[in-house]
Amino acid sequence: MPLIRFPFLVLSVLCLMWTGVVGGQRLDMKVLGNYRQIEIPFDTENDFIVIPILLNNLIPLRFIVDTGAENTVLLDRTMTDLLEVNYMRTFQVRGSDLTEMLTAHLATGVNMRLADRLLARNRTILVLEENYFNFERITGTTIHGILGADFLMRFIVEFDFRRKVLILHDPSKFRLTRAFIEVPADFIRNRPYLYIDVGVLSGQSTRRKLLMDTGAGLSLLMHTYPDSNHIDLPQQTIPTYIASGLGGTLEGSVGRSRLVSMANREMNDVVTYFQEVDSINAGFVQQREGILGNQILRRFRIVVDYVNHKVYLRPEGGRWKRKFRFDRSGLNILAGGNNLRSFTISNVVPGSPADEAGIQVRDRIRAVNGVPVALLSLESIIRKLQRRPGKRIRMRVYRAGRLYDLEFRLRDLI
């Protein structure tokens, strides 16, 4: 079996980094109707872009649109087994701990219908042996797959976050308006890398090479290297889980960068995650210095020209000025159970308000500010924990057969 490396990043966010295994396939696509451009509505779930896809005209699924993923991926082979899809090859997958071996398959002859606007026929996609990701626990919603660059690369792709529409343009007919600003970019294996000015420690910025990743629900992730003489970290950071998934968990820290400048706009106090990359993984990240995610990207209207390898941004009104919010409780929470309405504490930051209140890892949340969890979503709980400093949070938790009513007040952690 061929061997590929297949690590990825998640926080209550996700960034995907795939080594390519699907190459040169023919994109046999049919537009369903008489449209000059193909508009596909999307939902935003915990800052992920989610679209409906009908697999082989039978099974409705939900995929994340991911410019940072090289391949289109189905997260569990159960669906393709039901459809008796042909598997061309089987791959061994190396987990994020670089030791555990997992399995994936290359499936052929797959049809995908997007929002009754586009039919992609006879596709080749990557199918995981089982759902190693557990997206549901992280996003609080059902996710079945990832729509990657192998699908998007035929088009000029426009992301309209204000209208929540993904627009696929015919490259021969597309005309760019003057309001868009070209951002310096490279494309590596059909993934866009932007050159963005970032000032982590001060208002003086340096140019960084960042993967533009719509599969990342974060704002900004920066790589640090243990053998470097200069560690580019802000003074105030807290430890956090950055990566969790295929065979391992990676940890790092989170703080704020003083300045991020792009498309003639300057954003301040940007929430930034810092991941230490060792010499083994340095080659895999292809000399990039980090990842640019949706919490920044959604402040702009974006055009990705896959044909000419160009990226254009247009600031969306005053959205680019909005403050970057971050958790003020010290809690990481995972969803599970029926309808993803069971919420478990997965991490507590030492010395945080939640820690001081006595909340512990593996506690199950029963209510927040008097509202039972049956009426809440993971996203709504996270938003409550990002409210203004001083806001009182009352949380009922279940632990070892007993209920505890605990209380704390939110405060800035970074």
Side-chain angles (χ1 to χ4, degrees), residues 94-385:
R94 189 182 298 279
S96 56
D97 63 355
L98 303 179
T99 58
E100 186 173 353
M101 302 306 297
L102 309 172
T103 304
H105 310 276
L106 203 62
T108 60
V110 176
N111 297 328
M112 303 168 66
R113 182 188 293 264
L114 282 70
D116 289 327
R117 293 292 181 93
L118 181 68
L119 177 61
R121 296 176 293 196
N122 197 31
R123 298 287 302 169
T124 299
I125 66 173
L126 202 62
V127 180
L128 301 187
E129 175 69 21
E130 58 184 274
N131 191 347
Y132 304 115
F133 291 117
N134 292 317
F135 266 102
E136 290 84 357
R137 301 203 72 195
I138 300 161
T139 65
T141 188
T142 302
I143 301 294
H144 303 98
I146 300 148
L147 194 71
D150 64 328
F151 186 95
L152 301 171
M153 66 184 185
R154 177 176 175 177
F155 303 98
I156 293 176
V157 180
E158 185 173 356
F159 294 88
D160 186 340
F161 287 91
R162 183 179 58 83
R163 295 173 52 218
K164 293 188 177 181
V165 174
L166 176 70
I167 307 171
L168 305 179
H169 295 277
D170 182 341
S172 66
K173 299 177 181 178
F174 178 74
R175 297 294 180 269
L176 190 73
T177 65
R178 292 183 179 180
F180 282 91
I181 300 168
E182 182 177 353
V183 177
D186 284 335
F187 281 68
I188 302 175
R189 303 179 75 94
N190 295 309
R191 294 179 295 178
Y193 292 77
L194 306 186
Y195 291 92
I196 302 297
D197 293 328
V198 179
V200 175
L201 300 175
S202 70
Q204 293 184 338
S205 59
T206 56
R207 185 144 291 190
R208 314 293 181 112
K209 181 181 178 182
L210 305 174
L211 174 66
M212 194 195 102
D213 193 351
T214 62
L218 48 71
S219 47
L220 179 65
L221 180 144
M222 301 292 292
H223 296 314
T224 63
Y225 297 89
D227 53 352
S228 172
N229 292 326
H230 175 63
I231 301 177
D232 198 6
L233 292 175
Q235 291 184 350
Q236 187 174 356
T237 62
I238 59 173
T240 189
Y241 288 106
I242 299 177
S244 176
L246 295 179
T249 297
L250 300 179
E251 299 179 0
S253 58
V254 58
R256 291 184 184 268
S257 294
R258 292 283 299 276
L259 172 69
V260 175
S261 178
M262 51 194 290
N264 297 336
R265 298 294 187 273
E266 292 186 355
M267 295 166 284
N268 302 115
D269 297 325
V270 178
V271 174
T272 305
Y273 297 88
F274 298 90
Q275 177 201 6
E276 186 174 287
V277 179
D278 59 28
S279 57
I280 295 176
N281 287 314
F284 177 73
V285 299
Q286 297 173 325
Q287 297 182 340
R288 71 163 181 248
E289 296 171 83
I291 289 172
L292 197 66
N294 282 335
Q295 289 185 27
I296 286 180
L297 297 174
R298 70 187 182 191
R299 296 159 186 255
F300 300 83
R301 190 156 175 167
I302 302 169
V303 171
V304 183
D305 184 344
Y306 282 94
V307 178
N308 298 299
H309 290 181
K310 294 182 181 296
V311 176
Y312 305 90
L313 302 179
R314 189 186 80 187
E316 283 283 47
R319 286 191 172 196
W320 64 273
K321 299 179 182 179
R322 294 178 181 175
K323 294 181 178 180
F324 287 85
R325 299 193 301 176
F326 184 73
D327 167 70
R328 291 187 167 104
S329 69
L331 294 177
N332 281 47
I333 304 169
L334 296 177
N338 294 332
N339 300 316
L340 297 172
R341 290 298 187 270
S342 176
F343 304 109
T344 303
I345 305 300
S346 61
N347 185 55
V348 183
V349 175
S352 66
D355 180 43
E356 293 168 355
I359 295 178
Q360 300 178 12
V361 172
R362 292 187 292 276
D363 282 355
R364 293 187 179 182
I365 301 173
R366 288 290 188 258
V368 180
N369 287 348
V371 180
V373 292
L375 303 177
L376 298 171
S377 66
L378 178 60
E379 185 170 12
S380 68
I381 295 175
I382 291 173
R383 297 302 180 214
K384 289 179 186 296
L385 300 179

